[in-house]
Amino acid sequence: MTFDPETLTQSWPLPANPRPIVTFGAGSIVGDAHYPAYRKGGFPIAGLYDPDHDKAKALAERWGVTAYRTVEEAASVENAIFDLATPPAAHANVLAVLPEGAAALIQKPMGADLAAATEILTICRDRKLKAAVNFQLRFAPMMLALKDAIAKGLLGEVVDFDVHLALDTPWQLWSFLEGLPRIEIAMHSIHYLDVIRQVLGDPGGVHAKSIGHPNHGMAQTRTTAILDYGDRVRCALSINHDHRFGRRHQACEFRVSGTQGAAYLQLGVNLDYPRGEPDILEIHPKGGDGWVPVPLEGTWFPDAFVGRMANLQRFVSGEDAELVSSVEDAWMTMALVEAAYASSAAPATPLAARP
């Protein structure tokens, strides 16, 4: 079987008639990822709201959009897609004032914990919102290509999924995280857990330990986890955001192995964030005799944000039948996150006493 890497799908189709976007929140993620992606995808941006109006106004002027003075004013924009780039604790209050039946994209995580995610799910159901969670890694060109390769049988049955990070993450860029009880899994590795669910389905359970580091005060920045998929599939995550010893031995990579082929991915944005390095996808296909580089047509930031918004817009217009990472599905990712924290808090199996 001849493998042509150019045949792998790497992008999501755009909507024919995109709706205007109204954003809640004026943090760095909006200016660094959301708005560059929306402009690249041709999505009209109506404006944004932030409790810090001066901050909202500065970002609005930079992008030539409106800075709304109240949540209600922002929520009154007709036929809008509402983009919640808000901290987890703010999601529910914003969703509660959106028009019934509105379309919303909710920044991950879907609340601070599973109880908050359940409240958000209930609000979305009660108000009949067409709501998805911004698990945009699913839409990164390398991840769309990996999913297509798996669907085409290039790896055979997937039996191993390894996530390995050893890098220096600039947590100081997200000041709102300071003092929060849940950091690493809830705010970062949640992306990887969500992608793993998409590839492997829901695990039966998880063994995890998430800890901080003596050199700073963030709650957790290092995680080890094993997802239980029975006796056929092995899935493990080794995450270290405190490897501050130069680029040479840093890493941010997936290794996905099947019974007949394998894939290697580098998630470049996390290396020297936010400038980042190139994403990489290489596939050792079924029947092949070596690794084949896949020329990527974009990166996680900002291209995944284009696909994420495109799917929501197309679902609202009827062009897509499935809303990827809907709040119903995203709740299951939050359930996996909750299980990981419960495992981390539980005592390990003790060693036997010395005889």
Side-chain angles (χ1 to χ4, degrees), residues 26-327:
S28 63
I29 192 68
V30 178
D32 293 342
H34 288 227
Y35 282 4
Y38 300 159
R39 283 283 164 83
K40 184 173 183 178
F43 304 124
I45 304 170
L48 73 155
Y49 165 79
D50 192 279
D52 184 339
H53 186 66
D54 289 340
K55 184 177 180 181
K57 187 176 179 182
L59 185 60
E61 289 177 351
R62 177 177 151 198
W63 288 90
V65 300
T66 300
Y68 304 110
R69 288 195 170 273
T70 66
V71 171
E72 291 75 15
E73 182 185 3
S76 69
V77 177
E78 295 185 1
N79 296 317
I81 302 291
F82 296 104
D83 179 31
L84 277 65
T86 44
H91 295 342
N93 290 338
V94 174
L95 292 169
V97 301
L98 297 184
E100 184 168 333
L105 180 60
I106 305 167
Q107 177 70 342
K108 60 81 190 164
M110 185 180 163
D113 53 27
L114 191 60
T118 302
E119 178 188 6
I120 287 168
L121 179 61
T122 300
I123 292 171
C124 292
R125 286 173 172 174
D126 290 346
R127 301 189 62 76
K128 299 178 176 58
L129 302 179
K130 302 176 183 69
V133 176
N134 199 357
F135 289 128
Q136 78 291 134
L137 181 56
R138 293 192 184 202
F139 293 88
M142 59 183 168
M143 292 307 306
L144 291 174
L146 173 66
K147 183 181 177 184
D148 195 25
I150 293 171
K152 290 175 176 175
L154 295 176
L155 276 59
E157 176 190 356
V158 176
V159 292
D160 282 285
F161 200 126
D162 284 299
V163 177
H164 177 216
L165 273 69
L167 41 74
D168 181 10
T169 297
W171 294 103
Q172 68 275 9
L173 294 179
W174 306 283
S175 58
F176 72 90
L177 296 177
E178 296 178 11
L180 294 183
R182 294 182 172 185
I183 302 292
E184 203 290 312
I185 300 174
M187 304 303 296
H188 188 92
S189 286
I190 189 171
H191 282 298
Y192 312 140
L193 296 175
D194 183 68
V195 163
I196 290 167
R197 285 190 56 246
Q198 185 183 39
V199 173
L200 298 177
D202 291 322
V206 58
H207 309 276
K209 189 67 176 179
S210 191
I211 60 176
H213 192 280
N215 286 349
H216 58 72
M218 285 289 180
Q220 310 95 24
T221 52
R222 297 176 291 163
T223 298
T224 300
I226 300 172
L227 276 58
D228 187 353
Y229 285 97
D231 296 333
R232 195 167 180 87
V233 177
R234 184 188 65 86
C235 180
L237 298 86
S238 177
I239 313 293
N240 180 6
H241 292 274
D242 294 286
H243 195 273
R244 298 173 177 173
F245 309 103
R247 175 63 183 88
R248 181 176 178 184
H249 294 300
Q250 290 182 348
C252 186
E253 56 196 21
F254 291 178
R255 286 178 173 84
V256 184
S257 302
T259 53
Q260 297 174 296
Y264 169 86
L265 300 88
Q266 174 177 287
L267 288 67
V269 69
N270 289 331
L271 298 164
D272 192 23
Y273 184 89
R275 182 172 58 183
E277 296 182 7
D279 290 338
I280 295 172
L281 172 60
E282 296 182 5
I283 293 178
H284 194 298
K286 173 183 177 181
D289 57 3
W291 289 92
V292 180
V294 177
L296 293 174
E297 301 166 1
T299 57
W300 180 2
F301 283 50
D303 296 276
F305 292 79
V306 178
R308 169 64 280 178
M309 177 56 72
N311 169 244
L312 176 56
Q313 294 248 4
R314 287 172 57 88
F315 180 78
V316 171
S317 69
E319 296 169 275
D320 279 356
E322 177 191 4
L323 179 57
V324 179
S325 296
S326 69
V327 287

